[in-house]
Amino acid sequence: MPNKTNSEGRPVTIYDIAKEAGVSASTVSRALNDSSRVSRETKRRIIELAEKYNFRPNALAQGLAEARSRLIGIVVADIRNPYYAELFFYCEKVAQEAGYIVVVFNQPKGGGMAEQIRMLEKMLTLQMEAVILIDGMVARLVSDVEYVDEVKHIMEHLISLGHRDIALLGGYMDILSTYEKAVHYRQVLRRHKILYRPELVSEQGDYDRDGGYRLMNRMLDAGISMTAVIAVNDIVATGVVKCLDERGYRIPEDISVVGCDNTYAGMMAPRLTTVGYDYEEMGRCLIETALAAIRGEKGQMLKMIEPVLVQGESTGRVPESH
């Protein structure tokens, strides 16, 4: 059913609702999107007016009327990775509360800077008001490292169980997050006076199940001894576990395995020990920073999200034979 007409005989718009409610058009938009930023009384008054006029806002028309698309683009490295799916879920939730629509763009595997530029140009033609780059070329090393604590938590956990020969598998060292993991790995070994063995750190490897499977096979074929394996993410850990199972290793009796990102842990047997993040807080920070940029405000430049060790059954004390 179309919107009813106003006193001038034209269809009721969001501005008519805003004028009668005594609020801004953006407040009407937030209220109709059930945003928590609008008071209960104001929201009730707006909804009553919307029902009175049978008002059903059209998102595209509303954006055009405001000369804004109310679209935010998010570029991810691989949407199949549940890390991005989880993060996108909360980004979308926060964006909707603010009256925005989030559109995800998948970075083609192996796509270089030229490919990402073409993608950004396409986003410009769609009139994105802001773009959030997650990984892709933006993750390449461009400045001094800001350290994170995820590997520190894992290393301290494994060392407390007696492990000294710990492998670090997956990823590429020119990707900031992977490089940070390797740096923390060496720092913790040094702090505990444990000899660093470069053969235990994979220099090149994909971030998927096949990558973890190949790297684990390669290390075992080379005769490299280890009692524990840290995978750069949970998907890589699934490949590590597959390889170890095929070769007859028991987890954690023979080798302990740890992941990073807490996306697959509950679906694995034994349940994977991993590091989890507050994805809701991460999503909120990303969208609020984008919204601040849209408003021309200076948003928070750096926000540290504290990781948490999630204990599973894939780690145990170092085997007595070691």
Side-chain angles (χ1 to χ4, degrees):
M1 186 179 296
N3 297 349
K4 292 182 179 179
T5 57
N6 62 12
S7 59
E8 299 173 359
R10 58 177 174 77
V12 170
T13 69
I14 193 172
Y15 299 104
D16 296 316
I17 300 291
K19 182 178 180 180
E20 190 164 340
V23 298
S24 66
S26 59
T27 298
V28 173
S29 177
R30 284 194 289 268
L32 295 177
N33 281 284
D34 199 25
S35 170
S36 59
R37 297 168 59 189
V38 181
S39 71
R40 184 178 301 178
E41 176 57 30
T42 300
K43 192 180 297 183
R44 182 194 61 77
R45 189 166 71 253
I46 291 170
I47 291 173
E48 285 181 353
L49 286 170
E51 290 175 348
K52 172 184 174 183
Y53 293 109
N54 191 37
F55 178 71
R56 297 291 183 272
N58 178 284
L60 179 60
Q62 181 181 334
L64 291 173
E66 298 174 359
R68 297 165 59 185
S69 68
R70 304 194 75 80
L71 296 175
I72 296 176
I74 297 183
V75 179
V76 301
D78 188 347
I79 194 60
R80 297 170 300 177
N81 188 328
Y83 168 82
Y84 300 116
E86 190 80 5
L87 191 54
F88 178 78
F89 174 84
Y90 288 108
C91 284
E92 185 177 47
K93 180 175 180 289
V94 177
Q96 285 181 344
E97 291 176 355
Y100 277 78
I101 296 172
V102 177
V103 183
V104 66
F105 294 81
N106 194 59
Q107 174 78 13
K109 187 174 181 179
M113 182 63 76
E115 178 64 34
Q116 190 158 86
I117 290 173
R118 281 195 295 271
M119 181 178 289
L120 291 173
E121 289 173 345
K122 183 186 297 182
M123 296 169 82
L124 284 174
T125 65
L126 295 173
Q127 297 183 315
M128 298 288 159
E129 292 192 41
V131 175
I132 299 172
L133 299 176
I134 304 176
D135 287 338
M137 295 304 296
V138 74
R140 303 286 174 179
L141 294 179
V142 293
S143 63
D144 292 339
V145 175
E146 293 289 349
Y147 296 119
V148 293
D149 289 333
E150 57 184 1
V151 167
K152 181 181 76 174
H153 289 296
I154 293 170
M155 291 290 288
E156 295 292 351
H157 169 67
L158 291 173
I159 290 171
S160 73
L161 294 173
H163 294 277
R164 296 295 183 272
D165 299 311
I166 304 168
L168 180 63
L169 269 68
Y172 296 92
M173 288 302 165
D174 60 345
I175 298 298
L176 181 58
S177 60
T178 303
Y179 180 74
E180 288 175 341
K181 289 179 175 68
V183 169
H184 257 309
Y185 171 89
R186 296 190 67 167
Q187 287 179 337
V188 177
L189 288 178
R190 190 180 304 116
R191 187 183 313 129
H192 287 273
K193 296 181 171 54
I194 298 172
L195 178 67
Y196 171 71
R197 296 171 53 196
E199 69 271 20
L200 286 173
V201 179
S202 64
E203 289 293 332
Q204 300 292 328
D206 288 330
Y207 293 87
D208 56 19
R209 178 183 174 89
D210 290 342
Y213 183 79
R214 286 194 302 271
L215 289 172
M216 192 72 255
N217 269 307
R218 190 182 305 163
M219 280 196 175
L220 294 176
D221 288 342
I224 298 171
S225 63
M226 69 202 79
T227 63
V229 178
I230 299 172
V232 293
N233 61 35
D234 284 8
I235 293 183
V236 169
T238 66
V240 170
V241 169
K242 180 175 183 287
C243 171
L244 293 174
D245 283 343
E246 289 180 356
R247 288 183 175 241
Y249 288 91
R250 298 169 302 159
I251 301 171
E253 291 84 359
D254 299 322
I255 296 181
S256 291
V257 179
V258 185
C260 293
D261 68 27
N262 194 25
T263 54
Y264 267 93
M267 294 179 279
M268 297 176 65
R271 182 180 175 86
L272 186 68
T273 295
T274 185
V275 168
Y277 306 99
D278 187 339
Y279 287 102
E280 184 169 9
E281 177 64 14
M282 290 172 68
R284 183 168 297 280
C285 287
L286 287 171
I287 295 300
E288 287 182 349
T289 300
L291 293 175
I294 290 170
R295 294 190 296 266
E297 301 170 0
K298 186 176 181 180
Q300 191 170 4
M301 296 299 294
L302 179 65
K303 172 70 174 180
M304 304 300 285
I305 306 294
E306 183 69 22
V308 178
L309 182 70
V310 181
Q311 182 82 48
E313 293 95 37
S314 66
T315 53
R317 295 203 63 80
V318 68
E320 293 183 3
S321 58
H322 289 265

